[in-house]
Amino acid sequence: MKAVRVHKLKAEEVRRFAERIGAKDKERLVVCRGDYVEIPILDGFERYFEGYEIVEQNNPVFARKADLFEALKDKIPKDLWEYIPRRYKIIGDVILVKIPNELEKYKCLIGETLLKIHKRCKSVWRDLGREGMLRKPKVELIAGKGSETVHKENGCLFKLDVTKVMFSVGNQGERMRIVKLVQDDEIVVDMFAGIGYFTIPIAVHTNAKKIYAIEINPDSYFYLLENIKLNRISNVLPILGDSMYVTPERIADRVVMGHIFCQDFLPVAIRALKSDGYIHYHESVPEVIIQRPIERIKRACELLGKDVRIENFRKVKNYSPGVLHVVVDAYIY
Ligand SMILES: C[S@@+](CC[C@H](N)C(=O)[O-])C[C@H]1O[C@@H](n2cnc3c(N)ncnc32)[C@H](O)[C@@H]1O
């Protein structure tokens, strides 16, 4: 978890800048350490703070932990305090929270308490993970009602139903990082478009010529169409289908492979590129075999007689203990 460390005299200016460009991590508080201040930022935004010191926060202070903990501690036995969730996600006006089994019988209390803390929110859902290739959410209503919402992020609107499609708040930095890479007039293929996680910010913030947005799940596709309308976008071509079979060939300057289990799709992505271009390949990989995504890209290129230059390899977020969600930027020619 990164933060920009600045002298307190500069802190307000840098905090405002971080907020303006959407870099500030709202889940953590600004922390004062002596004459210096740590301003928490999202992964992927480090390069906007050139000339400043970027530090890894060992003791981050979370924005909402105290509220929830304080509100619950008199109602939950002390030996269970350690299980009280320290973080949760707010998507539009819906809250998603992971609750360990130890707190099963307190889940509705936790939901009601969150609704009291966040008065503008209408419902709280217990987050039980995601299933299969479609990454369908498993959720359970624990307070309030309503599952459809509109989430605002980096100047884009994302309409979705939290019971039908996922929204990964932790990928926000990665979405904006990709936006900064897209050049004017590029043709982009988004092979796992979902509700437009990458497609919408690219369309809103860049001058890409065209974005092919492929999605297999009709629920996600429905919201992709909604989000194209909501953000008044005209350069997206949405395609409902399996990207293994419907991805266009020799057309793209850039291919986004925003699915953590998409290694089998690498040959299709490479064929989607013009004679050369970029692939942004995501994978969830155990830290002990951290080179695997790069090896997979190299092997796929070799089999298709292409050369590759690995331009960037970075962590998007932690996936599970010992396993990272990473992304590789590969230039293929
Ligand atoms: C949920 S997204 C990944 C999250 C996203 N990268 C982000 O930034 O939050 C993955 C999407 O790929 C879709 N998908 C899975 N297999 C597919 C396939 N073969 N063709 C097209 N879309 C597919 C899923 O339905 C899902 O909407």
Side-chain angles (χ1 to χ4, degrees), residues 133-135 166 168 171 175 191-192 194 197-198 214-217 220 241-243 258-259 265:
M133 266 310 267
L134 299 195
R135 314 300 293 140
M166 57 161 276
S168 192
N171 293 2
R175 290 191 270 273
M191 285 177 72
F192 306 93
Y197 311 102
F198 286 100
I214 307 169
E215 173 53 44
I216 198 171
N217 175 0
S220 301
D242 185 338
S243 55
H259 195 303
F265 293 73

Side-chain angles (χ1 to χ4, degrees), residues 2 54 67 75 81 102 112 116 148 193 209 317:
K2 303 255 177 350
I54 306 288
D67 289 350
K75 299 173 184 147
W81 283 4
E102 287 81 356
E112 295 299 341
K116 277 188 201 138
E148 190 176 81
K209 190 191 240 168
K317 58 183 190 287

